[in-house]
Amino acid sequence: MKILVVNAGSSSLKYQLFDMVNESVIAKGAVERIGIPGSRLTAKGNGRQKVYEQPMPDHKVAIKLVLEALTDGEIGVISSMKEIGAVGHRVVASGEYFKKPTLVDDEVIKTLEEKTFELGPLHNPAAAAGLHACMDVMPGTPMVLVFDSSFHQTMPEKAYMFGIKYEDYKAYGVRKYGAHGTSHKYVSQEAARFLGRDIKDLKIVTCHLGNGSSITAVDGGICVDTSMGFTPLDGVLMGTRSGCIDASAVEFLARKKGYDAARMVTYLNKECGVLGISGVSSDFRDLEAGMEAGNERCKLALEMFSYQTKKFVGSYAAAMGGLDCIVFTAGIGENTPYIRSGVCDGLEFLGVRLDEEANNAKNGGAREISAKDSKVKVLVIPTNEELAIARETLALI
Ligand code: AMP
């Protein structure tokens, strides 16, 4: 069975076509600038690449072109769309409406559009546009929605509630939802597989550290807590996001800077984090280079990031009453030994001992970086959200 995975943004659309017999990617590509002059699709298949430059006023035109590329005489990998058994769509926000991957029908579309758009105003309308575009050009093909937050739906009430009036939680759905759930689920399962253990017997903390970063407590394969909140702004400081901050400081800053609420949210999402601290970059490679050149603010940004991540690891060990494994994943988690070392440093009391040589070794695959005598296994597991979505889609249909 072949499964198409679609990740639609407001003006972009990424896709991968999997052959689920061996979970291989047989084609992939990205559309940029949908609805903006200069639209283009870069498509790969058959070991070749082709760039299509033509107007794409909306997602439907973009999807049509993707399907043309998939059946193209030169880079095409299928002879007709009928070969695609199902389409998995990445959706960011689920609210409390979708607790697991969901097969699309009229009712599901209604709930997606009427209930979740205000929870993910930038992302969910784009996902819906991608969904409608696929349904138009592939009528009859099963469509599955896979939500970033659904893995976190198992959190107990005490973990997901904020300390606000209960009636306001009930009326407006203001609570922790979390994000990166597809990645946390995937790497925790891969970690158990790597260790040759049943995930039901493991207490794992997964650290998805990238431009957006979140940490999750996975107890017996189930999410019991996560660091992102109502939106991805919460938790540790990130590339450009502040992470958690006293709400009174937000009001104080808004008054001092003359910002309204919407401008403040943009400030906290786009201008803060390690970019705001360093004044140099949101990219950790630049921060490391800056630190090596003696820039104290780059060093501070890196230290804050490690320190805040470490605190989540420790608090989640406490929440689960133990810790068997720490998993690092995503751009920083997979590629930045300095941060992994900084997070683990001081966690010896929990039984964490890093093998610095293994931590510093250049190796792209899943690997163990803890010392042989470390009670807690420390792993680097490359994430693969697209494959995870394809697996969820296949499982559902
Ligand atoms: P992500 O959001 O998962 O793509 O992660 C992006 C972050 O990973 C950026 O801050 C990068 O600096 C960091 N990073 C560090 N090393 C690498 C690398 N070799 N490749 C990609 N990202 C890297």
Side-chain angles (χ1 to χ4, degrees):
M1 157 108 44
K2 295 187 179 70
I3 289 187
L4 181 64
V5 173
V6 174
N7 183 353
S10 53
S11 65
S12 67
L13 187 148
K14 288 185 262 177
Y15 69 91
Q16 290 194 13
L17 183 66
F18 288 89
D19 186 342
M20 295 310 285
V21 172
N22 53 6
E23 296 191 330
S24 61
V25 178
I26 51 176
K28 65 183 195 177
V31 185
E32 299 159 81
R33 303 179 68 86
I34 299 172
I36 305 171
S39 317
R40 63 196 237 138
L41 160 64
T42 307
K44 292 181 184 161
N46 275 333
R48 290 190 210 137
Q49 178 173 305
K50 193 164 167 179
V51 178
Y52 299 72
E53 282 178 334
Q54 61 189 70
M56 285 181 249
D58 54 35
H59 287 75
K60 187 170 170 186
V61 179
I63 278 287
K64 268 195 173 145
L65 193 60
V66 166
L67 294 172
E68 251 176 70
L70 290 172
T71 50
D72 181 88
E74 193 188 333
I75 61 158
V77 292
I78 53 175
S79 53
S80 111
M81 268 108 81
K82 295 209 170 64
E83 283 185 47
I84 299 175
V87 184
H89 295 265
R90 176 185 180 224
V91 187
V92 170
S94 65
E96 292 185 323
Y97 304 101
F98 297 103
K99 299 199 186 299
K100 49 186 191 312
T102 303
L103 192 61
V104 171
D105 60 21
D106 290 347
E107 197 58 34
V108 166
I109 294 175
K110 193 160 175 268
T111 307
L112 177 75
E113 295 183 340
E114 288 178 7
K115 305 285 190 190
T116 72
F117 278 15
E118 65 175 2
L119 297 171
L122 295 180
H123 298 100
N124 279 27
L131 171 66
H132 282 295
C134 287
M135 289 170 68
D136 280 349
V137 290
M138 287 184 266
T141 304
M143 302 282 152
V144 173
L145 305 183
V146 180
F147 298 89
D148 272 11
S149 44
S150 54
F151 181 56
H152 303 306
Q153 288 285 334
T154 48
M155 281 186 286
E157 204 173 19
K158 66 183 176 189
Y160 69 67
M161 287 296 291
F162 295 133
I164 59 169
K165 288 173 77 172
Y166 194 82
E167 305 85 69
D168 290 337
Y169 153 64
K170 276 294 184 198
Y172 307 119
V174 174
R175 49 157 281 189
K176 181 194 286 258
Y177 291 110
H180 296 140
T182 312
S183 176
H184 288 292
K185 181 176 179 184
Y186 175 81
V187 298
S188 58
Q189 290 177 342
E190 289 298 304
R193 197 198 306 222
F194 182 92
L195 296 172
R197 301 272 307 273
D198 187 337
I199 197 164
K200 290 203 173 65
D201 301 328
L202 292 172
K203 295 180 189 300
I204 306 176
V205 174
T206 48
C207 305
H208 178 111
L209 309 179
N211 198 33
S213 294
S214 64
I215 298 105
T216 295
V218 184
D219 194 351
I222 299 285
C223 168
V224 293
D225 209 340
T226 193
S227 63
M228 281 180 168
F230 181 64
T231 73
L233 183 54
D234 209 355
V236 291
L237 88 165
M238 307 173 211
T240 59
R241 296 187 189 120
S242 62
C244 52
I245 173 172
D246 181 345
S248 299
V250 176
E251 189 270 343
F252 183 87
L253 266 172
R255 252 188 304 124
K256 291 286 179 195
K257 293 175 80 76
Y259 288 174
D260 64 12
R263 179 69 186 87
M264 227 24 231
V265 170
T266 304
Y267 167 83
L268 293 168
N269 271 291
K270 305 262 188 229
E271 298 167 33
C272 294
V274 294
L275 170 66
I277 295 293
S278 67
V280 169
S281 174
S282 62
D283 192 304
F284 277 58
R285 290 166 285 199
D286 298 338
L287 298 179
E288 280 195 283
M291 179 181 68
E292 277 154 27
N295 184 319
E296 287 298 323
R297 279 171 56 185
C298 287
K299 184 164 184 253
L300 173 63
L302 292 167
E303 282 180 352
M304 285 173 70
F305 185 77
S306 301
Y307 176 68
Q308 294 187 8
T309 305
K310 186 212 312 276
K311 286 204 296 181
F312 272 105
V313 174
S315 66
Y316 288 164
M320 293 189 288
L323 182 63
D324 299 302
C325 178
I326 301 171
V327 180
F328 289 100
T329 194
I332 299 160
E334 291 169 34
N335 296 297
T336 314
Y338 181 79
I339 294 295
R340 294 193 297 254
S341 177
V343 172
C344 293
D345 182 40
L347 293 182
E348 292 78 10
F349 77 101
L350 282 176
V352 178
R353 281 225 319 122
L354 213 56
D355 176 338
E356 284 298 346
E357 203 176 312
N359 183 37
N360 286 312
K362 296 239 179 308
N363 171 348
R367 57 204 186 271
E368 179 175 349
I369 56 168
S370 42
K372 287 276 164 291
D373 62 348
S374 181
K375 189 174 88 47
V376 175
K377 299 289 176 201
V378 185
L379 307 180
V380 177
I381 306 276
T383 194
N384 190 339
E385 286 168 283
E386 291 77 17
L387 175 58
I389 292 171
R391 283 182 184 169
E392 299 277 13
T393 302
L394 181 66
L396 196 63
I397 63 156

